[in-house]
Amino acid sequence: MTATEYDRAPRVAVRDYASPLAEKLNALWETKPGVIGWLSSVDHKEIGLRYIVTSFIFLIVGGIEALIFRLQITQPNETLLTPEQYNELFTMHGATMILWYAFPILTGFSVFLQPLVIGTRDMAMPRLNAFTYWLFLFSGIYLYVGFAIGEAPNDGWFNYVPYASRPFNPGLNIDFYALSNILLGISTTLGSLNFVVTLLHMRAPGMSINRLPILSWGTLTISVGNLFAMPSVTLAFFLLWMDRQFATHFYRPPTGQPLLWQHLFWMWGHPWVYVIVLPAISMVSEALPILCRRPLVGYTAVALATVLTMVLGFGVWLHHMFATGLPGLALSFFSAVSILIVIPSAVSAFAWLGTIWTGRPVFNTAFLFFAGFIVVFVIGGVSGFMTGSVPVDWQLTDTYFVVAHIHYVLIGWNLFPVMGASYFWFPKMFGKLLDERLGRWNFWFMFVGFNVGFFPMHISGLLGMPRRIYTFPEGMGLDTINLITTIGSYVFAVGFLLFIINVVLSLRHGQDAGPNPWDAATLEWTTPSPPPPYNFVVLPTLATRTPLWETRLRESPYHSDLGKGFPLDHGKEALATTTLDAQPEAILRMPEDSLMPLLLALALTALFAGLIVKLWWLVIASLVVGLIFQLIWLWPRAKLAERRP
Amino acid sequence: MTIVTISRDDLPIGSVTSRTVGWWSMIAAIITEASLFAYLLFAYYYFAVQRRGEMWPAEMPTFKLAAPNTVILLVSSVAVWFGERGGHEGVRWKQTAGMGIGFVLGVIFVTIQVFEWKAKSFSLNSGPYGSIFFVVTGFHMGHVVLGLIMLLPLTLWSALGYFGPGRDAPISIGAIYWHFVDAVWLVVFFSLYITPYLGLRHG
């Protein structure tokens, strides 16, 4: 009980969510009421939901931007927007969707779900988790402050130099983009680090690495990938900012190397594509089999394919630069890898098809989204395979074909799984089921709207329509196609609106879900819905990958122990286990709620605000204040067993 | 049907072994920081290859300050290692002295490095080489300063007797970061100071 404890043989208790033990744990883990309590919460479920809500808001904002500029290119010679407004809108749309929606939404699901699916009580570093959320939020606000004062980025989301260099883009537009990306990059890196440690170190006893749920394989893989990839883009933006504000010679001609930007950007950019799809498709691999009433076909192959896709993803960045005059040998190599990467992707696709084929599917809304996803997954994969070939890419680069491809990949591979996952895990998050009837309308509007909106872009691209033009003349055969595209995008938007309506209505009137509405197999479904602050009243011990289906599957003579386990109730505690075999290794003392994550994120944001206006006293002041906050944060506490009493 | 059992041996509590959460996250942080330097040096070698002979300053790099400074940084790592051992053994003076000497040597490294910067004939914005040289060494300096910011409180906490056998993970975590900063310097030193003599200047 005291801080002087150096070791302890944990006692074993019975699983009962109505016991005095549960009450005790609740008092230990609960977030305090009130504004201060809310701002200082480090509960991963609370933070995960904040991530999800914030990301959906960014999705809506980015979507509205797209709906506005689609009106400008619905018909020829439209004058709704000026070219500059058009540039800013499509850039903000791309940046918001790819950077402030697509990854943070997956982080949100992961932050909420991962500790639950691996049977632990929180992320490894709960305060860091809160910090990464605040920093993500502030980086988005930072970007949109630029937008609000008329200094939005306007060079496309991949921001090529020399157009993004100061002589051609003298305002602060690009600086807002660069600095907000560095802030976001810090958040992403620290978040990934937290996932790596959590997933390798805090799994429930018995959850050896080959029993890691497929959901966690996606998050683990991309988190490791991020550790290697993120510094590239953060550095690229930093060097760009140095070039623009301190006259260094990295990118700007004649002395600099404009292509260095493209290398650094895409060395991150292509792994990033996998970063924002692998966790999403892992959600499909996790949830789809449950709706097909059988385990996933080819678990091992899918897990290895996930890792392999990430690894190969680091070797394909040059295919974004085929048209820049690189040596033939480089083109051949990167073209080959780009085509090779189809193989691990196909492994997953066949695993899903096999799962549906040999299962007994439940045709609910979540299933529809997953099935729809498989269709667009294949279309997006094939168009990617096509542009992986150098001569085809030379023909199609910078046309609407590429725009179509990126939307099939990012909406198809990210948003569709996210929608399905929302229907699937909403009951766990809120204890209510989303409405199925409205859900069908939601799916069909989105699926039809998506294909009507984005498939014709392949054709306009093949007809030679370049991307990023703010208007086009009459009589080029592009009028009808663009009209259809705009109509489709609006239908798609209506579909998403139905989702929001569904969420609002179901939160009030939804059917009670109970702990396990889908009769699913994994640990998160053993807790009440929504889960209590401490997640598990006693920590489960695993014997198989599907602890709730053991009596049915009879795959192993051993059964998981879900009925009793360590309560770890001597303060806020969690269990550390070994990396491969998940044997108990240590009892971890978890930190209390704290305002430090918020304050430190504010200090760091103030520092970046100082950088953009070159207010050096503000930079130094926030640096000093930030260091003090860090010192308070990290000061060894006997209560956390970080120091001797 | 057999229900699995779990061993109920004594488990250490908190940040005790060198395999705890803090240590793991420092390893992950080092991986990402090492990648950052790999990208920085990629920029250096990219310029060297792409611009053939054009980017270099007139003079070759000199070792007058850089070589002794490298030795100082290496010795600081030894001191920190000595301090870490003191932590394991529970000898407070050893622990405090090791961390403290590591800190002082780090400060000396930073000071000498400032003189090294001042002695250069090029500047941050005089050309690509200047930009690369100052940004790469600047990033390294930033990491040294960050390491010093870790070593200073670790020295203080050691002196206060916060750590001892079974409770010395923060020391090990700080130490491994310091060794990393040291190792990165060797790579930076090799790239910026030695490769020109190995013929990189001629493309």
Side-chain angles (χ1 to χ4, degrees):
Chain A
M1 201 64 151
T2 56
T4 51
E5 255 186 330
Y6 271 52
D7 45 36
R8 177 169 94 232
R11 72 188 175 94
V12 167
V14 174
R15 171 169 170 268
D16 179 1
Y17 282 91
S19 59
L21 170 65
E23 266 171 48
K24 183 183 177 192
L25 286 170
N26 202 59
L28 282 169
W29 286 83
E30 200 175 31
T31 294
K32 303 286 170 289
V35 179
I36 302 288
W38 192 83
L39 292 174
S40 51
S41 175
V42 297
D43 183 342
H44 74 97
K45 298 176 288 298
E46 178 66 34
I47 293 164
L49 289 178
R50 285 178 200 176
Y51 256 112
I52 292 173
V53 171
T54 312
S55 314
F56 271 138
I57 290 172
F58 279 120
L59 176 76
I60 293 167
V61 172
I64 291 172
E65 285 157 3
L67 292 178
I68 295 171
F69 73 69
R70 261 325 303 178
L71 291 178
Q72 166 67 25
I73 39 172
T74 302
Q75 45 185 357
N77 303 318
E78 177 62 62
T79 54
L80 178 71
L81 299 172
T82 65
E84 173 62 20
Q85 287 170 331
Y86 187 84
N87 287 350
E88 291 191 7
L89 279 173
F90 81 68
T91 304
M92 288 299 283
H93 166 72
T96 307
M97 293 308 202
I98 293 168
L99 294 156
W100 276 273
Y101 156 73
F103 182 67
I105 187 77
L106 302 177
T107 306
F109 274 93
S110 298
V111 165
F112 186 96
L113 289 171
Q114 293 302 342
L116 288 164
V117 301
I118 64 168
T120 187
R121 286 185 169 153
D122 207 326
M123 298 286 288
M125 287 161 282
R127 289 173 298 185
L128 187 71
N129 194 26
F131 176 70
T132 55
Y133 168 73
W134 292 118
L135 206 55
F136 149 62
L137 175 67
F138 295 153
S139 69
I141 293 174
Y142 193 100
L143 176 74
Y144 271 87
V145 166
F147 190 51
I149 63 172
E151 301 281 355
N154 51 7
D155 186 20
W157 76 278
F158 48 71
N159 206 45
Y160 278 175
V161 290
Y163 183 65
S165 304
R166 197 160 182 186
F168 309 99
N169 216 327
L172 284 176
N173 311 51
I174 302 297
D175 301 300
F176 268 106
Y177 192 42
L179 292 175
S180 59
N181 255 298
I182 297 175
L183 266 183
L184 181 67
I186 297 170
S187 162
T188 306
T189 306
L190 293 174
S192 301
L193 186 150
N194 208 349
F195 280 124
V196 171
V197 180
T198 306
L199 292 171
L200 290 182
H201 202 52
M202 293 183 72
R203 302 193 307 274
M207 187 184 273
S208 49
I209 200 84
N210 57 324
R211 293 181 192 145
L212 188 65
I214 201 78
L215 181 71
S216 306
W217 274 108
T219 305
L220 180 59
T221 303
I222 64 102
S223 298
V224 175
N226 270 343
L227 293 182
F228 290 99
M230 285 311 294
S232 182
V233 74
T234 313
L235 179 66
F237 275 110
F238 177 77
L239 299 183
L240 178 63
W241 181 66
M242 292 289 284
D243 256 19
R244 291 174 55 84
Q245 299 300 332
F246 301 96
T248 53
H249 295 254
F250 290 104
Y251 305 128
R252 58 199 176 95
T255 45
Q257 288 284 332
L259 275 188
L260 177 64
W261 167 268
Q262 295 195 25
H263 280 293
L264 287 175
F265 190 87
W266 292 118
M267 277 196 266
W268 158 83
H270 205 88
W272 187 252
V273 172
Y274 296 103
V275 165
I276 59 185
V277 302
L278 288 177
I281 67 179
S282 290
M283 294 200 287
V284 177
S285 299
E286 182 72 36
L288 181 73
I290 288 162
L291 299 174
C292 294
R293 317 303 308 137
R294 59 152 298 147
L296 176 68
V297 169
Y299 164 91
T300 310
V302 173
L304 291 178
T306 306
V307 176
L308 186 62
T309 308
M310 189 75 238
V311 172
L312 289 177
F314 277 89
V316 298
W317 83 87
L318 233 60
H319 74 211
H320 297 269
M321 302 165 62
F322 279 164
T324 56
L326 295 162
L329 182 67
L331 295 185
S332 311
F333 174 82
F334 281 88
S335 178
V337 183
S338 306
I339 289 170
L340 200 66
I341 206 165
V342 172
I343 295 170
S345 312
V347 168
S348 303
F350 282 110
W352 299 321
L353 291 180
T355 307
I356 297 173
W357 191 266
T358 56
R360 285 180 287 118
V362 179
F363 293 99
N364 61 11
T365 308
F367 179 85
L368 289 176
F369 271 110
F370 295 144
F373 150 75
I374 297 173
V375 174
V376 291
F377 179 84
V378 173
I379 298 175
V382 169
S383 61
F385 172 77
M386 289 165 74
T387 46
S389 155
V390 177
V392 179
D393 184 78
W394 281 350
Q395 189 66 31
L396 294 174
T397 190
D398 276 335
T399 69
Y400 261 77
F401 190 89
V402 178
V403 182
H405 168 67
I406 194 176
H407 285 87
Y408 266 83
V409 172
L410 294 183
I411 298 181
W413 301 13
N414 179 296
L415 185 58
F416 274 82
V418 162
M419 294 304 296
S422 299
Y423 276 86
F424 190 81
W425 277 291
F426 186 89
K428 184 46 65 187
M429 292 168 177
F430 299 102
K432 306 264 190 190
L433 291 164
L434 280 169
D435 187 66
E436 274 296 311
R437 217 173 116 87
L438 206 47
R440 309 273 153 136
W441 286 99
N442 173 1
F443 168 74
W444 285 110
F445 263 89
M446 283 183 77
F447 188 74
V448 171
F450 172 72
N451 285 295
V452 170
F454 294 97
F455 196 83
M457 285 184 175
H458 291 109
I459 299 162
S460 46
L462 287 168
L463 290 173
M465 181 167 167
R467 69 195 294 193
R468 294 176 176 175
I469 47 156
Y470 77 103
T471 189
F472 55 94
E474 274 173 90
M476 298 189 74
L478 299 171
D479 307 15
T480 320
I481 290 185
N482 277 298
L483 181 63
I484 295 172
T485 299
T486 303
I487 292 170
S489 63
Y490 275 79
V491 173
F492 183 66
V494 170
F496 189 75
L497 188 63
L498 291 175
F499 170 68
I500 297 171
I501 293 171
N502 197 349
V503 167
V504 173
L505 290 180
S506 301
L507 276 176
R508 290 198 186 157
H509 312 294
Q511 203 187 324
D512 277 340
N516 190 1
W518 315 116
D519 186 19
T522 41
L523 285 178
E524 76 268 35
W525 304 102
T526 63
T527 69
S529 309
Y534 49 87
N535 292 355
F536 297 92
V537 67
V538 295
L539 298 183
T541 304
L542 268 81
T544 67
R545 214 176 284 145
T546 46
L548 292 176
W549 285 359
E550 282 165 5
T551 41
R552 277 177 259 171
L553 289 173
R554 297 192 192 145
E555 280 180 329
S556 156
Y558 294 102
H559 277 225
S560 302
D561 194 351
L562 305 175
K564 55 186 187 345
F566 299 156
L568 299 185
D569 57 342
H570 294 203
K572 269 185 113 171
E573 288 180 336
L575 191 67
T577 50
T578 55
T579 306
L580 292 178
D581 298 327
Q583 291 305 308
E585 194 180 29
I587 295 169
L588 299 173
R589 285 280 166 87
M590 307 299 278
E592 303 289 325
D593 286 358
S594 165
L595 272 178
M596 279 307 136
L598 172 62
L599 293 177
L600 188 59
L602 279 172
L604 196 53
T605 311
L607 193 158
F608 274 66
L611 287 180
I612 198 147
V613 285
K614 296 194 180 164
L615 214 53
W616 300 116
W617 68 263
L618 179 62
V619 172
I620 292 168
S622 2
L623 200 63
V624 172
V625 171
L627 282 174
I628 293 171
F629 287 157
Q630 277 212 347
L631 199 62
I632 299 173
W633 181 334
L634 294 174
W635 197 277
R637 289 169 178 75
K639 196 174 180 188
L640 297 180
E642 288 164 343
R643 51 167 281 205
R644 300 200 298 180
Chain B
M1 178 176 107
T2 322
I3 291 186
V4 285
T5 48
I6 182 168
S7 76
R8 289 187 50 205
D9 300 336
D10 268 14
L11 292 174
I13 295 174
S15 230
V16 235
T17 59
S18 62
R19 284 160 290 150
T20 47
V21 167
W23 192 83
W24 273 93
S25 27
M26 184 52 85
I27 295 296
I30 284 173
I31 290 174
T32 194
E33 297 281 32
S35 307
L36 173 68
F37 280 94
Y39 291 116
L40 274 166
L41 293 175
F42 169 80
Y44 168 75
Y45 289 109
Y46 183 77
F47 264 95
V49 172
Q50 294 287 323
R51 298 207 70 90
R52 305 285 161 183
E54 294 168 42
M55 76 154 186
W56 303 94
E59 82 273 10
M60 291 293 263
T62 150
F63 295 102
K64 212 174 90 192
L65 290 173
N69 218 13
T70 304
V71 174
I72 288 172
L73 200 60
L74 286 173
V75 174
S76 80
S77 239
V78 176
V80 166
W81 167 80
F82 179 77
E84 192 192 353
R85 262 190 49 167
H88 286 315
E89 295 162 4
V91 186
R92 200 199 288 189
W93 73 264
K94 217 171 156 181
Q95 187 190 343
T96 313
M99 296 319 241
I101 293 169
F103 175 79
V104 171
L105 290 174
V107 172
I108 294 173
F109 173 87
V110 169
T111 316
I112 295 180
Q113 184 72 348
V114 171
F115 284 108
E116 167 79 358
W117 279 353
K118 287 202 168 151
K120 293 293 171 195
S121 65
F122 45 83
S123 70
L124 177 67
N125 49 21
S126 62
Y129 183 81
S131 298
I132 290 174
F133 181 87
F134 282 102
V135 167
V136 172
T137 52
F139 261 96
H140 183 262
M141 269 282 257
H143 284 72
V144 173
V145 171
L146 189 64
L148 290 175
I149 292 172
M150 292 183 198
L151 286 184
L152 187 60
L154 284 173
T155 311
L156 174 72
W157 295 334
S158 298
L160 289 173
Y162 277 18
F163 309 122
R167 284 284 179 271
D168 61 344
I171 294 280
S172 304
I173 294 164
I176 196 167
Y177 184 78
W178 189 256
H179 299 322
F180 161 71
V181 169
D182 206 345
V184 163
W185 174 252
L186 293 180
V187 180
V188 168
F189 181 77
F190 175 80
S191 298
L192 293 180
Y193 287 83
I194 296 180
T195 56
Y197 290 98
L198 300 178
L200 190 68
R201 265 179 98 114
H202 312 293

